[in-house]
Amino acid sequence: MKTIDTRELAAWLDATLQAPRFKDYCPNGLQVEGKPRVGHIITGVTASEALLRAAIERGADAVLVHHGWFWKNEDPRVRGPRRTRLAVTLAHDLNLFAYHLPLDAHPQWGNNAQLARVLGLEPEFDATGAPLTCGPDNLIWLGTAPGLDTLDALAERVRQRLGRAPLVVGEPGRPLARVAWCTGAAQGMLADAVQAGADAYITGEASEPTVHLARETGTGFIGAGHHATERYGVQALGQAVAQQFGIRVEFVDIDNPV
């Protein structure tokens, strides 16, 4: 089986995702060092105990996720579920790679780029050919939904493509021109999408104030699920790793209704 040096893989991922440029809520990159060489990677959305055990059952050398560990303002003590996850990882010499905002933002393999692909959204581009974005760290993508004329039609597309009924706020017949989207827990960026002239905004979650802002601005809001909107970036990144290094990469979807 072909393998790659763990540190070489980490360096390639860091450079490809431009990890150092992000001020994130967690460390990006190699979070837990395991085996010195990697030939088999399991990718997933979150480094949960279930994903770690799936990686062990499949004989993987590393886990690559969007949601890793060591988040800001977390209790740093190693006990309970945190202890179990870390103990399992160390006992089996697993490498844990995690990329949060860098994976959201990547123009090709990122969560926003891949959600656009899955939903059939057409990104707008600026004069340099880069996706047109707005909001903090330019994480919100702007574009259109070709063939979809109303908020209700867009919501139905989301339901069909993501396999779950989304939360929808707004008039079903609202016409669509510009659509904005940002995966995960980006409900706090709704105001940025409104300011950018979006007729509808797609993200993963909603907070209590989200509904009021959507109603009062007339902007359609679609909460399509945090996990559901972020399943695709890590899969695309995993495929890129497999092509780049010729190693085995598998995606494991640990279902999460949130």
Side-chain angles (χ1 to χ4, degrees), residues 8 93 112 146 176 252:
E8 182 182 348
D93 216 13
N112 286 331
L176 296 180
V252 174

Side-chain angles (χ1 to χ4, degrees), residues 82-228:
R82 176 187 286 241
R83 178 193 180 281
T84 301
R85 290 179 182 181
L86 188 56
V88 166
T89 302
L90 293 175
H92 292 86
D93 216 13
L94 280 175
N95 291 284
L96 173 61
F97 296 90
Y99 292 90
H100 186 232
L101 294 183
L103 185 55
D104 286 323
H106 194 273
Q108 182 178 358
W109 304 317
N111 284 320
N112 286 331
Q114 290 300 312
L115 184 64
R117 177 187 62 80
V118 171
L119 295 182
L121 305 176
E122 185 66 39
E124 298 178 47
F125 297 93
D126 63 20
T128 69
L132 190 62
T133 58
C134 67
D137 285 315
N138 290 308
L139 289 172
I140 298 175
W141 282 38
L142 302 169
T144 60
L148 303 178
D149 299 327
T150 64
L151 176 63
D152 188 53
L154 178 59
E156 177 59 18
R157 170 73 62 80
V158 170
R159 185 192 68 78
Q160 291 176 356
R161 299 287 174 88
L162 300 190
R164 57 183 294 166
L167 169 69
V168 183
V169 180
E171 292 296 325
R174 177 182 172 84
L176 296 180
R178 170 173 278 180
V179 177
W181 63 96
C182 185
T183 66
Q187 64 268 34
M189 299 182 193
L190 173 59
D192 298 286
V194 172
Q195 188 172 3
D199 299 300
Y201 178 55
I202 305 169
T203 188
E205 301 182 22
S207 299
E208 196 274 343
T210 307
V211 174
H212 301 296
L213 182 59
R215 288 172 176 169
E216 292 167 14
T217 61
T219 303
F221 176 85
I222 297 178
H226 193 140
H227 179 87

Side-chain angles (χ1 to χ4, degrees), residues 68-91:
W69 300 343
F70 314 118
W71 299 88
K72 289 181 180 178
N73 301 320
E74 273 190 337
D75 185 341
R77 291 174 291 183
V78 181
R79 61 185 194 179
R82 176 187 286 241
R83 178 193 180 281
T84 301
R85 290 179 182 181
L86 188 56
V88 166
T89 302
L90 293 175

